[in-house]
Amino acid sequence: MDVALARDWMRAAADLIAADADRLTQLDSAIGDGDHGVNLNRGFTAVVAALEKSPPETVSEVLVKAGATLMSRVGGASGPLYGTALRSAGKALPATAEVAPADLGAALQAGLAAVRKLGGAAPGDKTLVDAFTPALEAFDKAVAQGGGLAEAAGAAARAAEAGAEATVPLQARKGRASYLGERSIGHQDPGATSTSLIFRALADVS
Ligand code: ADP
Ligand code: MG
Ligand code: MG
């Protein structure tokens, strides 16, 4: 991945989130406060603007800047969580113009670890961790088998989508949806859904 591809990824993520903002908000209306699509659309629009205003020179800087922008522009749980994920991933990357798929996989694992530390969610708690975790497992497996970025990102996107769908029968144990107790069962988690869009965006540009 080079810096242009990293920027394309963030732009593609912003486009997919904008196109699905109403769906994300509807999912959040069922088990949250109905702002997830609005939150992320505002955040990723700001990310694209920030990257255009002062274009970074490394993949690391793209992700750090994207994360910092999400943290400062998105209220609610998802801003700090996605902000931490991208910033931590960026900080874990070498400061080179180009990074290898294995480096990106390791950096994204650092991002997931930071999200889990911040939010305290484990797999099965019906959060974005339930899409993020299988996505990175699939990404790493594809890279270990000699796959390039396109294959790894495609596998990650499919695994994230399956992970998001698998949140439907779960009862939420973290975030606002956990206040609903058993009534959170039967709905897809909005954050897991937006995570699948972010990995789909990576697959689309790779
Ligand atoms: P808020 O709930 O503050 O309105 P959003 O609607 O933007 O924030 O985001 C909700 C999503 O955030 C949830 O669907 C879930 O995936 C994710 N989330 C909430 N709390 C946590 C947590 N502690 N750890 C991981 N993800 C979380
Ligand atoms: Mg919400
Ligand atoms: Mg909210």
Side-chain angles (χ1 to χ4, degrees):
M1 172 179 274
D2 62 12
V3 66
L5 187 59
R7 289 175 63 192
D8 287 348
W9 176 21
M10 292 297 110
R11 211 174 293 128
D15 288 346
L16 288 185
I17 285 163
D20 260 6
D22 287 349
R23 177 167 158 255
L24 294 174
T25 283
Q26 277 163 22
L27 292 173
D28 196 36
S29 297
I31 57 169
D33 56 356
D35 62 0
H36 191 58
V38 174
N39 283 345
L40 279 195
N41 197 10
R42 185 196 315 116
F44 273 87
T45 300
V47 166
V48 170
L51 294 175
E52 270 164 18
K53 197 171 163 211
S54 49
E57 283 172 15
T58 64
V59 177
S60 167
E61 285 170 44
V62 169
L63 298 187
V64 169
K65 179 168 281 210
T69 304
L70 290 178
M71 275 189 205
S72 66
R73 298 297 285 274
V74 182
S78 60
L81 290 165
Y82 279 128
T84 295
L86 291 176
R87 215 168 65 127
S88 301
K91 287 192 168 175
L93 282 173
T96 48
E98 218 166 305
V99 298
D103 292 332
L104 184 62
L108 291 172
Q109 291 282 8
L112 173 59
V115 164
R116 289 190 56 173
K117 193 170 173 210
L118 178 66
D125 286 349
K126 198 180 181 99
T127 71
L128 55 87
V129 169
D130 290 319
F132 209 154
T133 304
L136 295 189
E137 276 168 16
F139 188 98
D140 287 348
K141 190 173 166 208
V143 172
Q145 288 172 349
L149 181 61
E151 278 167 87
R158 288 191 296 278
E161 281 150 15
E165 283 165 21
T167 63
V168 172
L170 299 177
Q171 178 173 333
R173 285 194 290 252
K174 290 284 175 217
R176 275 179 196 282
S178 66
Y179 308 157
L180 291 180
E182 287 182 1
R183 281 182 293 141
S184 64
I185 293 171
H187 302 278
Q188 186 164 318
D189 180 61
T193 309
S194 56
T195 293
S196 75
L197 295 178
I198 293 168
F199 280 100
R200 176 53 58 195
L202 179 59
D204 285 350
V205 299
S206 296

